[in-house]
Amino acid sequence: MGFLNLFIVNQSGGLIHHRPLGARAPNIGTNDWLRIGSTFHSIHAIAPAAAPVKLPGNMLDNGAEDGIYEIEGAGLLLKCLQTRTGIKFVVTAEPGTPDIDTALKEIYVLYADGALKNPFYELEMPIRCEMFTQGIDALIERLDKASSYSKSR
């Protein structure tokens, strides 16, 4: 069990950040990541129209538009957190990985603190903020340690 990848898609469907989160993450090229980000954005946008059950007003509890929250397949779990502004934070992990929702929420906080408060960062542009990447590294390390600690008990 463990985290595999993180990718962040802006409200226009452009990939603004991607990175492996664990040693078992597949090696994916930059062009493939761009395709993955835009494809996920498109599927996320189409999903509410194809869903048999509609949310009231097509909105989530946090005010974001309805879409894909989670996809589970053989050997892969994908979870998405969409903000009110349309930014999608997506984490892939192995099935059974704990604290994925916590990780997504904390990555959103890191984005707000590390990227949005950076005076040199421009919205909708790729995230190249060292404070943000260091925060993600520390978060994943902390969650992995907590997970392995709880397994050993």
Side-chain angles (χ1 to χ4, degrees):
M1 295 185 294
F3 293 96
L4 298 174
N5 288 293
L6 163 70
F7 62 98
I8 304 172
V9 180
N10 66 21
Q11 63 186 359
S12 305
L15 185 72
I16 59 174
H17 190 77
H18 69 89
R19 62 179 309 182
L21 297 177
R24 297 182 53 149
N27 188 12
I28 300 173
T30 302
N31 286 337
D32 291 332
W33 273 116
L34 291 169
R35 277 192 287 278
I36 289 169
S38 64
T39 301
F40 182 77
H41 173 76
S42 299
I43 293 170
H44 190 278
I46 293 168
V53 177
K54 307 284 187 220
L55 290 176
N58 228 19
M59 302 298 255
L60 303 177
D61 293 339
N62 68 357
E65 292 183 8
D66 192 11
I68 295 174
Y69 307 109
E70 181 177 326
I71 299 174
E72 187 168 352
L76 179 74
L77 178 64
L78 179 146
K79 285 210 171 192
C80 174
L81 170 70
Q82 180 180 355
T83 67
R84 286 181 177 212
T85 58
I87 304 282
K88 294 167 204 62
F89 295 86
V90 184
V91 168
T92 60
E94 296 171 304
T97 302
D99 301 324
I100 298 175
D101 292 325
T102 301
L104 281 167
K105 290 174 186 169
E106 290 191 35
I107 289 169
Y108 179 39
V109 170
L110 289 169
Y111 170 73
D113 289 343
L116 295 181
K117 292 179 183 175
N118 182 336
F120 301 107
Y121 176 68
E122 295 182 36
L123 288 175
E124 303 291 313
M125 298 304 293
I127 301 168
R128 307 242 189 275
C129 304
E130 194 168 323
M131 183 177 165
F132 177 68
T133 55
Q134 288 173 349
I136 290 175
D137 290 341
L139 169 66
I140 297 303
E141 185 177 324
R142 180 173 51 87
L143 291 174
D144 283 343
K145 280 183 183 178
S147 172
S148 62
Y149 177 74
S150 64
K151 281 186 215 173
S152 67
R153 295 186 110 208

